[in-house]
Amino acid sequence: MKKIFFLFVMVFAVSMVMAQNVSTVNQTGDQNSASATQTGANTASVTQVGNDNDATQIQVGIGNHALIIQDGVGTTNQETFDNTAVQNQDGKTNTATIVQKEVGKAIASQTQKGENNVANIDQRNPWSNLVNNHTQLQTGNGNKANANVFNGGNTGSQTQDGDNNWSQINQAQSGNTAIHMQDGIKNYAFSSQGSGGSFVNVNQKGDDNIATTVQTGAGNKINMDQIGNGNNAGVIPYWGGEMGVKQVGADNETNFIQNGDNNTHFVLQQGDGNDVVSDVDGDLNRGTVKQIGDLNNVVVEIEYGNKNETTVLQEGNENTAKIQSIGTVSSNSFYMSDLNIINMVQKGSKNTALFDVVAGDKNVVDIDQIGNSNYTSFGVKYGNENNFSESANGNLNRTSLNITADWGSSSDGNMVAIEKNGNSNYVSGAIKGDTNEIDITQTGSSNKVGTNWYTSDGLNVVGDMNQITVSQTGDGNMSLNSVMGNSNVISVIQK
């Protein structure tokens, strides 16, 4: 009796497990195809209304849910056709949903391997004859991927490898491409494309990274790489604060790289034809780039540096700002360029501001240009604790200053403040040494320190602890200075 009772219980249990598989297929129309393969206690459902739709569902595991709806409800209320939907689930308690409505001509593919993953694709195509194509691949546990597509001709890809990653893509109009690749734990990516012909590629490798992008306009392009942990280009949730990269206008391009840990950067492009290249290699760097206008260009490159802060604001046309803070002098010395703080504000047209640090730390640079055709360039090769400030207000002002050092020496402790107010002012210079203080103020028109902005005959300082002050107020003034030695003091005032 005991053996018979045991056999009865086992048969009953197996029959209960087998009864938990549910597959529902509803098809209306011609030449539709649906296939469902289930191994385990899974649920699958397919609804197809229209012609030439194809649906495939494969489930291996326990507690998986798969849903495919391909019909014509929505704004057009017509039958849908030529849709393809494929769902492949291998694991436990995964959820996959594909909804393709209205005119149709959509392709959707979902692959889930792991546990507790959620994937949703919603593609609506009310008017266009172009094909939407979206793919979601999840490997790991607790990942979530959402894709919302409106109109035709859009392409999307979401790849998640790890645990608890979150990805959402929103696309409207036609010709957009969005790619999200997440490899790690608790990465967060959001992309919204509001017009046609835009491209975004977000690549996250590491843990706890945040990337949010918004494109409003046509022909915009974003490439964003986050390699490391705790890098931020946006906030969670994405609607709760500033976007990591926001493009408002047409034909803007952003190339954005964060390589390190706990970096935070934001980019705003408002206008047409703007270009931003931001390459950050290090930890705890912070940066903000804002371009308002047309044909602006920004290049930010920080390598081997920590705790740098960069702020660039450009309003106007054809402005160029280039910021570089790069360590490493030789294979045996100097590897870091740290604690630099750089602020650049350009308002006007055809302004150019360039700053370059090779292996110096604790530099502070403040450049403010309001006017037309201004040019400013600061350079540091090895130096430490330099402080530069440039404010130009007027027309056709030019500044070129090169702070450098010979091999094996350093240029440190220099302080340079240049303020120009007027027309056609020039400042040139080359500084070698330490603890120099230079203060140049020009107010008026046609004032010069050197014969031209690109020459080195004006303000050439070699030595230690020099202090130079040049102040010119009036018309047609010129000051040529060359100081060599130690503890020199020079003061030139012309009014």
Side-chain angles (χ1 to χ4, degrees):
M1 291 297 293
K2 291 182 179 179
K3 291 183 179 179
I4 296 174
F5 178 76
F6 177 76
L7 180 60
F8 172 76
V9 172
M10 292 298 294
V11 172
F12 179 76
V14 172
S15 64
M16 287 295 292
V17 173
M18 294 299 293
Q20 291 180 5
N21 287 312
V22 177
S23 178
T24 302
V25 178
N26 297 317
Q27 292 179 316
T28 302
D30 302 328
Q31 297 181 347
N32 292 308
S33 174
S35 174
T37 302
Q38 293 176 317
T39 302
N42 301 300
T43 301
S45 179
V46 176
T47 300
Q48 296 184 144
V49 178
N51 300 321
D52 298 321
N53 295 305
D54 190 5
T56 302
Q57 294 173 318
I58 299 174
Q59 294 174 314
V60 178
I62 300 173
N64 295 305
H65 299 277
L67 173 64
I68 296 175
I69 298 176
Q70 299 181 136
D71 59 23
V73 299
T75 58
T76 59
N77 196 26
Q78 65 183 15
E79 292 184 345
T80 187
F81 56 90
D82 291 338
N83 290 305
T84 300
V86 178
Q87 293 173 324
N88 192 334
Q89 295 174 314
D90 186 355
K92 298 179 180 179
T93 61
N94 294 303
T95 302
T97 303
I98 295 175
V99 178
Q100 300 182 134
K101 293 185 176 183
E102 295 165 307
V103 171
K105 290 192 174 181
I107 300 173
S109 175
Q110 295 171 321
T111 302
Q112 295 174 314
K113 295 181 181 181
E115 299 179 4
N116 299 315
N117 295 303
V118 178
N120 297 304
I121 296 176
D122 189 341
Q123 298 187 123
R124 293 178 55 191
N125 189 1
W127 306 294
S128 176
N129 290 323
L130 300 175
V131 178
N132 289 312
N133 191 333
H134 205 100
T135 303
Q136 293 174 331
L137 174 61
Q138 295 173 316
T139 304
N141 304 316
N143 295 303
K144 293 183 180 180
N146 300 308
N148 299 312
V149 183
F150 185 80
N151 216 353
N154 296 299
T155 302
S157 175
Q158 294 165 291
T159 302
Q160 295 173 316
D161 189 354
D163 300 330
N164 300 314
N165 295 301
W166 189 89
S167 171
Q168 180 163 332
I169 293 174
N170 296 338
Q171 293 175 319
Q173 304 305 325
S174 300
N176 295 304
T177 299
I179 300 171
H180 285 184
M181 298 185 66
Q182 295 173 315
D183 185 356
I185 299 173
K186 293 183 180 179
N187 292 303
Y188 185 96
F190 170 81
S191 293
S192 176
Q193 296 173 314
S195 298
S198 292
F199 175 86
V200 60
N201 182 12
V202 176
N203 183 18
Q204 295 174 314
K205 292 184 179 180
D207 303 332
D208 299 307
N209 295 302
I210 302 173
T212 62
T213 67
V214 172
Q215 294 171 313
T216 303
N220 293 305
K221 184 177 181 180
I222 297 174
N223 283 300
M224 181 184 295
D225 288 338
Q226 291 177 320
I227 302 172
N229 304 316
N231 294 304
N232 294 332
V235 297
I236 298 177
Y238 62 86
W239 63 84
E242 189 175 0
M243 289 292 171
V245 178
K246 184 176 182 180
Q247 294 174 322
V248 181
D251 300 321
N252 296 302
E253 183 172 352
T254 298
N255 292 293
F256 192 101
I257 299 175
Q258 289 177 322
N259 190 357
D261 299 331
N262 301 312
N263 295 300
T264 301
H265 285 81
F266 296 91
V267 175
L268 170 63
Q269 293 175 314
Q270 186 171 329
D272 301 330
N274 296 304
D275 186 23
V276 171
V277 177
S278 179
D279 187 352
V280 178
D281 191 346
D283 304 328
L284 300 172
N285 296 298
R286 298 176 62 88
T288 301
V289 176
K290 293 184 179 180
Q291 292 179 321
I292 301 174
D294 304 329
L295 302 176
N296 295 302
N297 181 277
V298 171
V299 176
V300 179
E301 183 177 355
I302 300 175
E303 296 183 0
Y304 310 110
N306 301 322
K307 299 182 181 179
N308 296 295
E309 294 189 10
T310 304
T311 302
V312 177
L313 172 62
Q314 293 180 323
E315 294 186 12
N317 305 315
E318 301 184 44
N319 296 304
T320 300
K322 182 179 181 181
I323 301 173
Q324 289 183 312
S325 176
I326 303 173
T328 303
V329 176
S330 69
S331 60
N332 297 319
S333 63
F334 296 109
Y335 295 96
M336 305 299 293
S337 145
D338 351 0
L339 302 177
N340 296 298
I341 298 176
I342 300 145
N343 296 309
M344 291 187 179
V345 179
Q346 293 179 326
K347 295 181 180 180
S349 58
K350 299 180 180 179
N351 295 305
T352 301
L354 304 174
F355 173 74
D356 191 12
V357 174
V358 175
D361 32 19
K362 299 181 181 179
N363 296 296
V364 177
V365 177
D366 185 11
I367 298 174
D368 186 10
Q369 291 181 330
I370 300 174
N372 305 313
S373 303
N374 296 305
Y375 169 87
T376 300
S377 176
F378 293 120
V380 178
K381 194 172 184 180
Y382 308 144
N384 313 307
E385 304 184 52
N386 296 294
N387 189 346
F388 311 102
S389 182
E390 162 84 8
S391 178
N393 221 344
N395 309 312
L396 301 175
N397 296 304
R398 319 294 286 180
T399 300
S400 178
L401 193 66
N402 183 18
I403 300 176
T404 182
D406 293 329
W407 185 260
S409 61
S410 62
S411 58
D412 33 28
N414 298 300
M415 296 180 61
V416 177
I418 299 173
E419 182 179 348
K420 293 177 295 185
N421 228 338
N423 307 312
S424 304
N425 295 306
Y426 303 143
V427 175
S428 60
I431 301 175
K432 297 180 181 180
D434 24 24
T435 64
N436 296 300
E437 292 188 11
I438 294 96
D439 185 9
I440 298 175
T441 302
Q442 290 179 327
T443 303
S445 57
S446 303
N447 294 306
K448 302 176 181 180
V449 175
T451 56
N452 212 324
W453 62 271
Y454 52 84
T455 60
S456 60
D457 54 0
L459 193 65
N460 190 351
V461 178
V462 177
D464 314 299
M465 304 177 66
N466 296 301
Q467 190 175 4
I468 296 117
T469 301
V470 176
S471 177
Q472 293 178 329
T473 303
D475 303 325
N477 297 310
M478 175 177 286
S479 175
L480 300 176
N481 306 308
S482 177
V483 178
M484 299 181 65
N486 304 316
S487 303
N488 296 307
V489 176
I490 180 173
S491 177
V492 177
I493 298 176
Q494 294 175 329
K495 289 186 179 180

